[in-house]
Amino acid sequence: MDATSYRQACFKILRPYRVNMAGEWPSRLFDYFLIILILANVLALMLETVDSIASQWATALFTFELASVIFFTLEYVARVWVSPEMTDYDNDALSDWQIRWRYMRSPMAIIDLLAILPFFLSLVVTMDLRMLRLFRLTRMVKLGRYSQSMHTLMTVLRNEARTLLAAVSVLFIVMVFAATGIYYIERDVQPEVFSSIPAALWWSLVTLTTVGYGDVVPVSPLGRMFGGLITLLGVGLYALPAGILSSSFTAQLQRRRDRFRECVESAIADGHISDHESNHLEKVRDLLDLDEEEAEMIVKLLRHHHEGQRTKQEASTPDQQ
Amino acid sequence: MDATSYRQACFKILRPYRVNMAGEWPSRLFDYFLIILILANVLALMLETVDSIASQWATALFTFELASVIFFTLEYVARVWVSPEMTDYDNDALSDWQIRWRYMRSPMAIIDLLAILPFFLSLVVTMDLRMLRLFRLTRMVKLGRYSQSMHTLMTVLRNEARTLLAAVSVLFIVMVFAATGIYYIERDVQPEVFSSIPAALWWSLVTLTTVGYGDVVPVSPLGRMFGGLITLLGVGLYALPAGILSSSFTAQLQRRRDRFRECVESAIADGHISDHESNHLEKVRDLLDLDEEEAEMIVKLLRHHHEGQRTKQEASTPDQQ
Amino acid sequence: MDATSYRQACFKILRPYRVNMAGEWPSRLFDYFLIILILANVLALMLETVDSIASQWATALFTFELASVIFFTLEYVARVWVSPEMTDYDNDALSDWQIRWRYMRSPMAIIDLLAILPFFLSLVVTMDLRMLRLFRLTRMVKLGRYSQSMHTLMTVLRNEARTLLAAVSVLFIVMVFAATGIYYIERDVQPEVFSSIPAALWWSLVTLTTVGYGDVVPVSPLGRMFGGLITLLGVGLYALPAGILSSSFTAQLQRRRDRFRECVESAIADGHISDHESNHLEKVRDLLDLDEEEAEMIVKLLRHHHEGQRTKQEASTPDQQ
Amino acid sequence: MDATSYRQACFKILRPYRVNMAGEWPSRLFDYFLIILILANVLALMLETVDSIASQWATALFTFELASVIFFTLEYVARVWVSPEMTDYDNDALSDWQIRWRYMRSPMAIIDLLAILPFFLSLVVTMDLRMLRLFRLTRMVKLGRYSQSMHTLMTVLRNEARTLLAAVSVLFIVMVFAATGIYYIERDVQPEVFSSIPAALWWSLVTLTTVGYGDVVPVSPLGRMFGGLITLLGVGLYALPAGILSSSFTAQLQRRRDRFRECVESAIADGHISDHESNHLEKVRDLLDLDEEEAEMIVKLLRHHHEGQRTKQEASTPDQQ
C-alpha cells in the first residue's frame, strides 16, 4: 500500500459522512468523535470560569485542553495533506502543494487554524491569554461541517442577506427615532434613566425586539402612549425577517422541486423511464433532499401529462403511418 | 351475537371518530367522554399540589384517581383485545395474539400503559411516589389521538426536525458566543450576576429567545452595546423556525393539492368525470382535508385544459377519419 | 316617492361602502360617521374610569352615551326595516317580515342589539350597571363591517381554526409539563413563588409565550437549565401559528389567483378577449382584490400559451382546409 | 465641455449606484461618502445629548453640523439642477424648470429639504431649537435611496398596508377588551396600578406584543387566568403580520418569476433563443433581481416544454409537407 492509497484512506475518514455512502462507518465514527470532542471543549471552556471547578479541576482541564489541541493540530495537518484528494474543484492543472495552499486559504481551513493557533501563540508570546481563549470558541463553528440542514440554513441566510440587512436598517432607523422621541418626553420625569439619546437607545432596542427586560420603562402618560406606538411598530418590524426567511425557504424548496422536475422531463422525453434513468432520478432526489413521496408525485404528474400528449398524437397520426 | 361481533362493536366505539362516518355517535360520545376525563385528570393532578385543596378534598381526589385508573386500565385492555380489528396494516399472516403483541409495542399503546402503570407499581414497590405521579401527565398525550390537525402538526414538525435542529444549533452557538462575550465584559461590574460563563448563559438564553425576564441585565455601556447586537441577532434567529415551519406548511398543502390534481387527471383522462369518479374524488378531497371550493377550482382548471386540447385534436383530425 | 323608494335610498346609505360604486358618497359619509362615533364611544367608556375625568365631565359623558344609544337604536331599527332590500340571499319565497326576522337572528344584527340593549335593560331592571357597561364594547366589533381586509383576516383565521387549536393544544400540553417540572424543581428554593402547579402555570405561560414579565423566575441552576429548555421549546411553538397563518395567507392568494386564471381561460377559449370579456375580467379582478399588474401578467401568460397552441394547430392543418 | 455635459456628468455622480453599470466608480464613491456622512450626523445628534460630551466637544460638534448642512444644501441644489437628466418620466413636453419644480415636489426631494431647512430657519426665527433638531433625523431616511432591498421591503409593506392595518385593528380591539377586563378584575387588588382602563391599556399592550416589561402584572388568581388567556390570544395576533408579510414576499417573488417566464416565452416563441434575446433576458433577470440559477432553470423548463411540442408537431406533419 503506497502513500497515495494511505492518503485516499485517510481522506475517506476525514470527509464528513453523507447519507447513502456504503461501507463508510470509519468516517461516521470519526465524525461523531469530533462532534463530541468539540462539545466537550466548549463545556470545558465554560466550566473553567466557574471558580469552584477551576480551582479543583485545574490539572484535568489543562490536560484535556492540551490533548485537544494536539488532536486538532494532527487533524489540521491531515486535512491539508489529503486535500488533493478532494474532487470539488478541477485540480488537474495544479500540483499537490498548490492544491494544499489553496485549501489552506479556504474559510473552513482558516477556522480550523484559528481554533489551534492561539494555544501555540501563547507559548511563544508573553501576553494576556484571556482574549486568545475566546478563539477556542471557533472550534464550535467546525460543527457546521457535519449538517446538511445547517448548509441549507446558511444558503438561505446568505441569499437573503441584503433583504435582511434592509430590514435591520429599517429597525435601526425606527430605533433612533424612538430613542430620540422618548428622550425628549421622559428626560424630565426620569432624568437618570433617560439621561441621553444613547441611553434611550437601550430602551428602544429592548422594546422593539420585544425582549422587554423592564429595567428601563416609560412612566409618564405621554411616554407610555409613544412607547405603545413604538411597540406596535415593533410587531410589524419583527414580522419582516420572519416573512423574508419564510419566503426564501419556500423559494429554495420550489427551486429544488423545479430542478427535479427538469431531470424527470429529460428522462421522460422518450416516452418512458428506463431502469437506468430511474436510478439516476433517485440519486438526484437524494441530493436535492426531496421527500420520496413528493418526488413520486412529480413523476406521476409529468407521466400523466406526457401520456396525455402521446394519446393525442396517436389519435391525430394513425393514418399517416 | 358472537365474540367477533362484540369485538367489532367495541372497536367501532374505541376508534377515534372521523368526519363523514355515518351512525357513529357512540364512538363520538366515547371520544368526548375520554377527552373530558383526561382533562379532569390533569386538573386533579394540578389541584393536588395546592395545599388548601389537597387537605380538604383528599378523599375525593384519591377516589377520582382510583376510578380513572380503573377506567384507563379497562380501556387499555379493551384496545389490546380489539386490535386485530384494525385494518391499518395487512394482518393476514398473523394470529390475533401476534397482532395484539405488535399493537402493545406501538407508541400509542406504550403511552396508554405508562399512564396507568405507575399507579400499580406504587402498590407493589415501596418507593417515593412523587416522580411516578409525573407519569400521569402522559395521559394528556392521549388527547393527540383525537385531532386530525394535531397529526398534521406532528408531520410538519417531524419533516422539519433536522432543519429545526440546525436552527437550534445556530442558536446554541450564538448563545455560547454571547455568554462568553458578556461574561468578559460585565464580570467586573456585576461580579455576582455574571459570575461565570454558565451563569451568563442564562442571560443570553433569556435574551436571544426575547423572553427578557429582566433579572439579569447588562448595565455597562459596552455590555449594553454588545447585548444590543446579540438581541438584534436574536430577531433573525427567532425568524428562522417561523420561516422553516411556514415553508413546510405551504409545501404540505401544495403536496396535498398535487395529489388531488393527480387523481383528477386520472379521472378526466377519458374526457369526462363520471358519477363514480366524482364520488371517488369527493372521498379523496375529504381525506386530504382540502377545501371544497379549492377542489372545485382544480377540477375546473384541469377540465378547461383538457377541453382545450380536445378542441385542437378535433380541429386537426376530422378529415383524417 | 313611495315607501319602497325610501327604503331603497335608506338601504344604499346604510350598506357599507365598496370600491367602484359610483355616486355613493352619502353611503361613504355615513360609514365614516359611524366609525368615528364608535371610536368616540370606546374612548368615552375608557375615560369614564379615570376618576378625575369621571367627576368633572359626568354630565357630558352621560349625554354623549344617551345620544349614542339613541342613534344606534335608530340605526338598528333602520337596518331591520331595510333588510328586505339585501340581495345576499334569494328572498323570493319570503315575506318582508320573515326576511327581517331572519336578519335579526344574523350575528351582525345580534351584535348591534347587544350594543344597545344593556342601556335599556338598566332603565328597567335595578341591578349593578358595571357588567352591562362592558357590553358597550361590542360596538367596536361593528367596525369589522367596514373593512374588506378584516374579512380576509377572519376567513383565514376561521379556515385555520382547527390547526391553530391543535397548536394551542400542544402549547397547553407543554405548558402543563413545564409547570409540573418547575414546581418539583423550584418549590424548595422559592416555596412562596412556586407554591403549587397552578401557580407554576403562570411562570410557564409567561415564559412559553416569551412575554417574560420577570415576576416569577427560576433561580436554582437546575431550574434555570429546565427553564432554558422550555424556553427553547417555546421558540418552536411560537413559530407554529406564524407558519400556519403564513401558509394559509399564501394559499388564499393562490386560490384567488387560480379563480382569476379560470375566468381568463373561459374568456380566451375562443382565441381572443373581447371588450365585453375584458370588462368582466376587470370586475372579477377587483372583486378578488388582485393586483392590476399581477392580473395583466396572468392574462399575458395564458395568451402566450394559447397562441402557441394556435400556431401549432395552424401549422398542422393548413393543407387540410 | 458645455453646461449640458457638466450637468450630465454631475447627474451620473449623484444618481444612486446600480449593479452592472460599468465605469461608475465616482457615483459609487459619492454614495459611500453620503452614507457615511449621514450616519456620522445621526451619531453626532445622539452624542450631543450626552452631557459630558456636549460640554467638551461643543465646538467640534457645531462645526461638523455646519459643514454637513452646507454639504447637504449643495447636494440639494445640485439634485434640483440635474433633475431634467432623469429619464424616469417622459419629460419631452416640459421645460427644464417645470421638471425641476416637479422634482422639488417629489417625496425624496421634500425629505432632502426637511433635513436642511430647520438649520436655516433657526438662524432667522428666534424660537426653541429643540423640536427643529429632531428634523435632522430625516437625514437618515435619505439612506433608503441606496438600497434595492429597502425598495422591495417598502413595496411589500405598501401592498399589505390595508391587511396589516386590519391586523392592527384586531389587535386594538382585543387590547381594549383585555384592558377593560383586567381593570374590573384587578382594580380592587392593585388600585394604584390598574387605576383606570387607560392605565390598564399599558398592561394589555405590553402583554399582547409580548414585550412584558413586568412593571404592571396581574397578581390575583382570576387576573392571572384572564391575563393568560389574553397572552395566548397575543401569540395568534402576533403571528398575523408575520403570516401576511410572509405571503406577500412569496407573492412578490412569484410575480417576478412569472414576469421573467413571460419574457422567456416571448423569446422562445420562434423555437430558439438568439444571442440578442439571451442578452435581453440577462438584463431582465438582473432588473428583476432573480437568482442566475433560478433563471436558468426557468429557461430550461420552458425549452423542454417547447421542444416537446415541436416534436409532436413534426411527428404529426411530416407527410403533409
Side-chain angles (χ1 to χ4, degrees):
Chain A
M1 200 168 170
D2 59 354
T4 314
S5 327
Y6 267 123
R7 209 173 69 181
Q8 239 164 26
C10 185
F11 172 66
K12 275 186 180 161
I13 291 169
L14 282 173
R15 75 172 165 197
Y17 173 79
R18 286 273 175 273
V19 189
N20 279 5
M21 291 199 306
E24 291 282 351
W25 61 264
S27 166
R28 201 167 197 177
L29 262 185
F30 184 77
D31 284 10
Y32 285 138
F33 175 71
L34 250 182
I35 290 170
I36 289 162
L37 187 66
I38 291 167
L39 289 176
N41 262 272
V42 171
L43 195 69
L45 183 82
M46 291 198 290
L47 292 179
E48 260 174 49
T49 62
V50 183
D51 284 341
S52 60
I53 293 172
S55 56
Q56 217 176 338
W57 299 88
T59 330
L61 284 168
F62 180 76
T63 315
F64 178 67
E65 167 67 11
L66 192 69
S68 300
V69 166
I70 291 171
F71 180 86
F72 287 133
T73 308
L74 289 176
E75 187 213 351
Y76 177 74
V77 170
R79 277 194 198 278
V80 170
W81 177 52
V82 305
S83 58
E85 296 290 332
M86 291 195 301
T87 52
D88 302 21
Y89 325 91
D90 53 328
N91 296 330
D92 302 335
L94 300 170
S95 78
D96 280 11
W97 285 109
Q98 280 175 315
I99 293 169
R100 277 176 192 133
W101 174 232
R102 197 186 51 195
Y103 172 75
M104 284 168 76
R105 286 170 302 163
S106 72
M108 258 308 173
I110 289 169
I111 283 168
D112 281 8
L113 190 63
L114 278 177
I116 47 169
L117 209 61
F119 185 84
F120 296 108
L121 272 179
S122 73
L123 298 181
V124 184
V125 195
T126 350
M127 56 174 287
D128 193 12
L129 281 167
R130 250 170 233 164
M131 276 302 112
L132 287 174
R133 262 188 196 155
L134 282 175
F135 276 97
R136 281 157 61 192
L137 280 174
T138 53
R139 284 171 201 167
M140 253 188 332
V141 182
K142 288 161 62 109
L143 284 175
R145 212 196 297 259
Y146 298 103
S147 164
Q148 190 74 35
S149 304
M150 189 83 86
H151 194 75
T152 309
L153 280 196
M154 288 304 141
T155 311
V156 164
L157 286 177
R158 204 168 33 233
N159 282 353
E160 299 302 315
R162 281 197 303 170
T163 320
L164 286 174
L165 195 75
V168 169
S169 303
V170 173
L171 191 69
F172 175 74
I173 291 176
V174 173
M175 206 179 287
V176 172
F177 267 107
T180 311
I182 207 81
Y183 165 69
Y184 282 110
I185 293 171
E186 289 276 321
R187 69 173 166 173
D188 296 327
V189 192
Q190 306 185 77
E192 331 78 52
V193 177
F194 294 102
S195 60
S196 63
I197 296 181
L201 259 181
W202 178 244
W203 169 81
S204 67
L205 180 85
V206 164
T207 300
L208 277 169
T209 56
T210 78
V211 169
Y213 288 128
D215 54 344
V216 181
V217 172
V219 292
S220 68
L222 190 64
R224 287 189 163 185
M225 273 181 64
F226 182 78
L229 275 174
I230 292 299
T231 312
L232 281 180
L233 257 175
V235 177
L237 289 174
Y238 213 77
L240 271 180
I244 293 166
L245 290 180
S246 164
S247 142
S248 180
F249 275 108
T250 305
Q252 263 242 337
L253 190 63
Q254 181 71 40
R255 205 175 305 168
R256 281 185 286 151
R257 225 185 269 139
D258 278 359
R259 213 169 302 158
F260 185 70
R261 190 170 292 140
E262 210 266 330
C263 288
V264 178
E265 292 228 349
S266 280
I268 219 169
D270 56 347
H272 68 104
I273 298 175
S274 68
D275 282 3
H276 177 75
E277 286 169 341
S278 181
N279 278 337
H280 175 69
L281 285 180
E282 179 57 25
K283 263 185 209 158
V284 170
R285 187 198 67 71
D286 187 65
L287 219 87
L288 293 173
D289 202 22
L290 277 184
D291 218 288
E292 262 180 64
E293 200 185 13
E294 189 158 3
E296 204 184 330
M297 193 53 53
I298 290 174
V299 173
K300 256 190 188 170
L301 274 174
L302 284 175
R303 196 173 260 167
H304 259 293
H305 188 74
H306 200 82
E307 271 164 24
Q309 293 185 325
R310 278 176 69 87
T311 323
K312 264 174 293 156
Q313 227 172 286
E314 278 156 22
S316 65
T317 52
D319 56 337
Q320 293 160 4
Q321 280 153 8
Chain B
M1 202 168 168
D2 60 354
T4 314
S5 327
Y6 268 123
R7 209 173 67 181
Q8 240 165 25
C10 186
F11 172 65
K12 276 186 181 162
I13 292 169
L14 283 173
R15 73 172 166 195
Y17 173 78
R18 286 274 175 273
V19 190
N20 280 5
M21 290 198 307
E24 291 282 350
W25 63 263
S27 167
R28 202 167 197 178
L29 261 185
F30 184 76
D31 284 11
Y32 286 137
F33 175 72
L34 250 182
I35 290 170
I36 288 162
L37 188 66
I38 291 167
L39 289 176
N41 262 272
V42 171
L43 195 69
L45 182 82
M46 293 198 290
L47 291 179
E48 260 174 48
T49 63
V50 183
D51 284 341
S52 60
I53 294 172
S55 56
Q56 217 176 338
W57 299 88
T59 330
L61 284 168
F62 179 77
T63 315
F64 178 67
E65 167 69 10
L66 192 70
S68 300
V69 166
I70 291 172
F71 180 85
F72 287 133
T73 309
L74 289 176
E75 187 213 351
Y76 178 74
V77 172
R79 278 193 196 280
V80 171
W81 177 52
V82 305
S83 57
E85 297 289 333
M86 290 194 303
T87 52
D88 303 21
Y89 326 91
D90 54 326
N91 296 329
D92 302 335
L94 300 170
S95 79
D96 279 11
W97 286 108
Q98 281 175 314
I99 295 169
R100 277 174 192 136
W101 176 232
R102 196 188 51 194
Y103 172 75
M104 284 167 76
R105 287 170 301 162
S106 72
M108 258 309 173
I110 289 169
I111 282 169
D112 281 9
L113 191 62
L114 279 177
I116 49 170
L117 210 61
F119 184 85
F120 295 109
L121 273 178
S122 74
L123 299 179
V124 184
V125 195
T126 350
M127 56 174 287
D128 193 11
L129 282 166
R130 252 170 231 163
M131 277 300 111
L132 287 174
R133 264 188 195 153
L134 283 175
F135 276 98
R136 281 158 58 193
L137 280 173
T138 53
R139 285 170 201 167
M140 253 188 330
V141 182
K142 288 160 63 110
L143 284 176
R145 211 196 298 260
Y146 298 103
S147 164
Q148 191 75 35
S149 304
M150 189 82 87
H151 194 75
T152 309
L153 281 196
M154 287 306 141
T155 311
V156 164
L157 285 176
R158 204 169 32 236
N159 283 353
E160 298 303 315
R162 281 197 303 169
T163 320
L164 286 174
L165 195 74
V168 168
S169 303
V170 173
L171 191 68
F172 174 75
I173 291 176
V174 173
M175 206 179 286
V176 173
F177 267 106
T180 311
I182 207 79
Y183 165 69
Y184 283 111
I185 293 171
E186 289 276 321
R187 69 173 165 174
D188 296 328
V189 191
Q190 307 185 76
E192 331 78 52
V193 177
F194 294 102
S195 60
S196 65
I197 296 182
L201 259 181
W202 178 243
W203 169 81
S204 67
L205 180 84
V206 164
T207 299
L208 277 169
T209 56
T210 77
V211 170
Y213 289 128
D215 55 342
V216 182
V217 171
V219 292
S220 68
L222 190 64
R224 288 190 164 185
M225 273 180 64
F226 182 77
L229 275 175
I230 292 300
T231 311
L232 281 180
L233 257 175
V235 177
L237 289 174
Y238 214 77
L240 271 180
I244 293 165
L245 290 180
S246 165
S247 142
S248 180
F249 275 108
T250 304
Q252 263 241 338
L253 190 63
Q254 180 71 41
R255 204 176 304 168
R256 281 184 287 150
R257 226 186 268 140
D258 278 359
R259 212 169 301 157
F260 184 69
R261 191 170 290 142
E262 210 266 330
C263 288
V264 178
E265 292 228 349
S266 282
I268 218 169
D270 56 347
H272 67 105
I273 298 175
S274 68
D275 282 3
H276 178 74
E277 285 169 341
S278 180
N279 277 338
H280 175 68
L281 285 179
E282 178 58 23
K283 263 186 209 157
V284 170
R285 187 198 67 72
D286 188 65
L287 219 87
L288 294 173
D289 203 21
L290 277 184
D291 218 288
E292 264 180 64
E293 200 185 13
E294 189 158 5
E296 204 186 329
M297 193 53 53
I298 291 174
V299 172
K300 258 191 187 167
L301 275 173
L302 284 175
R303 197 174 261 167
H304 259 294
H305 188 75
H306 200 83
E307 272 164 23
Q309 294 187 323
R310 278 175 69 88
T311 323
K312 264 174 293 159
Q313 228 173 286
E314 279 156 22
S316 65
T317 52
D319 55 338
Q320 293 163 2
Q321 279 154 10
Chain C
M1 201 169 170
D2 60 354
T4 314
S5 325
Y6 267 123
R7 208 172 70 183
Q8 240 165 22
C10 185
F11 172 64
K12 275 185 180 164
I13 292 169
L14 283 173
R15 74 173 165 195
Y17 173 78
R18 285 273 176 275
V19 190
N20 280 4
M21 290 198 308
E24 291 283 350
W25 61 266
S27 167
R28 201 167 198 178
L29 262 184
F30 184 75
D31 284 11
Y32 285 137
F33 175 71
L34 250 182
I35 291 170
I36 289 164
L37 188 66
I38 291 167
L39 291 176
N41 262 272
V42 172
L43 195 69
L45 183 82
M46 291 198 291
L47 291 180
E48 261 174 48
T49 63
V50 184
D51 283 341
S52 60
I53 293 172
S55 55
Q56 218 177 337
W57 299 88
T59 330
L61 285 168
F62 180 75
T63 315
F64 178 67
E65 167 69 11
L66 192 70
S68 300
V69 166
I70 291 171
F71 181 85
F72 287 133
T73 309
L74 289 176
E75 186 213 351
Y76 177 73
V77 171
R79 278 193 197 281
V80 170
W81 178 51
V82 305
S83 58
E85 297 290 332
M86 292 195 302
T87 52
D88 303 21
Y89 324 92
D90 53 328
N91 296 330
D92 303 336
L94 299 170
S95 78
D96 280 10
W97 285 108
Q98 281 175 314
I99 294 168
R100 276 173 192 138
W101 175 233
R102 197 187 53 195
Y103 172 76
M104 283 168 77
R105 286 169 301 163
S106 72
M108 258 310 172
I110 289 167
I111 283 169
D112 281 9
L113 191 63
L114 278 177
I116 48 170
L117 209 62
F119 184 84
F120 296 108
L121 273 178
S122 73
L123 298 180
V124 183
V125 194
T126 349
M127 56 174 287
D128 193 12
L129 283 167
R130 251 170 231 163
M131 276 302 110
L132 288 174
R133 266 189 194 154
L134 281 175
F135 276 97
R136 280 159 59 194
L137 279 174
T138 52
R139 285 172 202 166
M140 252 186 336
V141 181
K142 288 162 63 112
L143 284 176
R145 213 196 297 259
Y146 299 102
S147 163
Q148 191 76 33
S149 304
M150 189 82 86
H151 193 76
T152 309
L153 282 195
M154 287 306 140
T155 311
V156 164
L157 286 176
R158 203 168 34 234
N159 282 353
E160 299 302 316
R162 281 198 303 170
T163 321
L164 287 174
L165 196 74
V168 168
S169 304
V170 174
L171 190 68
F172 175 74
I173 291 176
V174 173
M175 206 178 286
V176 172
F177 267 107
T180 311
I182 206 81
Y183 165 70
Y184 282 111
I185 293 170
E186 289 276 322
R187 68 172 167 176
D188 297 328
V189 191
Q190 308 184 75
E192 331 79 51
V193 177
F194 294 102
S195 60
S196 64
I197 296 182
L201 259 181
W202 178 244
W203 169 81
S204 67
L205 179 85
V206 164
T207 300
L208 277 169
T209 56
T210 78
V211 169
Y213 289 128
D215 54 343
V216 181
V217 172
V219 292
S220 68
L222 190 63
R224 289 188 163 185
M225 272 181 65
F226 181 78
L229 275 175
I230 292 299
T231 311
L232 281 180
L233 257 175
V235 177
L237 289 175
Y238 214 79
L240 271 181
I244 292 166
L245 290 181
S246 164
S247 142
S248 180
F249 275 108
T250 304
Q252 262 241 339
L253 189 63
Q254 180 71 41
R255 205 176 304 167
R256 280 185 287 151
R257 224 185 270 140
D258 278 0
R259 213 168 303 157
F260 184 69
R261 190 171 290 142
E262 209 266 332
C263 287
V264 179
E265 292 228 349
S266 280
I268 218 168
D270 55 348
H272 67 104
I273 298 176
S274 68
D275 282 2
H276 178 75
E277 285 169 343
S278 181
N279 277 337
H280 175 70
L281 286 179
E282 178 57 24
K283 262 185 208 157
V284 170
R285 188 197 67 71
D286 188 66
L287 219 87
L288 294 172
D289 202 21
L290 277 184
D291 219 290
E292 262 179 65
E293 200 184 15
E294 189 157 4
E296 204 185 330
M297 192 53 53
I298 291 173
V299 173
K300 257 190 187 169
L301 275 172
L302 284 175
R303 197 173 260 167
H304 259 295
H305 188 75
H306 200 84
E307 271 164 23
Q309 294 187 326
R310 278 175 68 88
T311 323
K312 264 174 293 157
Q313 229 174 285
E314 278 156 22
S316 65
T317 52
D319 56 338
Q320 293 162 3
Q321 281 153 6
Chain D
M1 202 168 166
D2 60 354
T4 315
S5 325
Y6 267 122
R7 208 173 71 181
Q8 240 166 24
C10 185
F11 172 65
K12 274 185 183 163
I13 292 169
L14 282 173
R15 74 172 166 196
Y17 173 78
R18 285 274 175 274
V19 190
N20 279 5
M21 291 200 306
E24 292 282 350
W25 60 265
S27 167
R28 203 169 196 176
L29 262 185
F30 184 75
D31 284 10
Y32 285 137
F33 175 72
L34 250 183
I35 290 170
I36 290 164
L37 187 66
I38 292 168
L39 290 176
N41 261 273
V42 172
L43 195 70
L45 182 82
M46 292 198 290
L47 292 180
E48 261 174 48
T49 63
V50 184
D51 284 341
S52 59
I53 293 172
S55 56
Q56 218 177 336
W57 299 88
T59 329
L61 284 168
F62 180 76
T63 315
F64 179 67
E65 167 68 11
L66 191 71
S68 301
V69 166
I70 291 171
F71 181 85
F72 286 134
T73 308
L74 289 176
E75 187 212 352
Y76 177 73
V77 171
R79 276 192 199 281
V80 170
W81 178 51
V82 304
S83 58
E85 297 290 331
M86 292 195 300
T87 52
D88 302 21
Y89 325 91
D90 52 328
N91 296 331
D92 302 337
L94 299 171
S95 76
D96 279 11
W97 286 108
Q98 281 174 316
I99 294 168
R100 278 175 192 135
W101 176 234
R102 197 187 52 196
Y103 172 75
M104 284 167 76
R105 284 170 302 164
S106 72
M108 258 309 173
I110 289 168
I111 284 168
D112 281 8
L113 191 63
L114 278 177
I116 47 169
L117 210 61
F119 184 84
F120 295 109
L121 272 179
S122 73
L123 297 181
V124 184
V125 194
T126 347
M127 56 174 285
D128 193 12
L129 283 167
R130 251 169 229 163
M131 276 303 111
L132 287 174
R133 264 188 196 154
L134 282 175
F135 276 98
R136 282 157 60 192
L137 280 174
T138 53
R139 286 173 200 165
M140 254 188 332
V141 182
K142 288 161 63 111
L143 284 176
R145 212 196 299 259
Y146 299 102
S147 163
Q148 190 77 35
S149 304
M150 189 84 85
H151 194 75
T152 308
L153 281 196
M154 287 307 141
T155 310
V156 164
L157 285 176
R158 204 169 32 235
N159 283 352
E160 299 302 314
R162 280 196 304 171
T163 320
L164 287 174
L165 195 74
V168 168
S169 304
V170 174
L171 190 69
F172 175 74
I173 291 177
V174 174
M175 205 179 286
V176 172
F177 267 107
T180 311
I182 207 78
Y183 165 69
Y184 282 111
I185 294 171
E186 288 276 321
R187 69 173 164 172
D188 297 328
V189 192
Q190 307 184 76
E192 332 77 51
V193 177
F194 294 101
S195 60
S196 64
I197 296 182
L201 259 181
W202 178 244
W203 168 81
S204 68
L205 179 85
V206 164
T207 300
L208 277 170
T209 56
T210 77
V211 170
Y213 288 127
D215 54 344
V216 181
V217 172
V219 292
S220 68
L222 189 62
R224 288 189 163 185
M225 273 181 64
F226 181 78
L229 275 175
I230 292 300
T231 312
L232 281 180
L233 258 176
V235 177
L237 289 175
Y238 214 78
L240 271 181
I244 292 166
L245 290 180
S246 165
S247 141
S248 181
F249 275 108
T250 305
Q252 262 241 340
L253 189 63
Q254 181 70 41
R255 205 176 305 167
R256 281 185 286 151
R257 224 186 268 140
D258 279 0
R259 214 168 301 158
F260 185 69
R261 191 171 289 140
E262 209 266 330
C263 288
V264 178
E265 292 228 349
S266 279
I268 219 169
D270 56 346
H272 67 103
I273 298 176
S274 67
D275 283 2
H276 177 75
E277 286 169 341
S278 182
N279 277 338
H280 175 69
L281 285 179
E282 178 58 24
K283 262 184 209 158
V284 170
R285 188 198 66 71
D286 188 66
L287 218 87
L288 294 173
D289 203 20
L290 277 184
D291 218 288
E292 262 179 65
E293 200 185 13
E294 190 157 4
E296 205 185 329
M297 193 53 52
I298 291 174
V299 173
K300 257 190 187 170
L301 274 173
L302 284 175
R303 197 174 260 167
H304 258 294
H305 188 75
H306 200 83
E307 272 163 24
Q309 293 186 325
R310 279 175 69 87
T311 324
K312 263 174 294 156
Q313 229 174 287
E314 278 155 23
S316 66
T317 51
D319 56 338
Q320 292 163 2
Q321 280 152 6

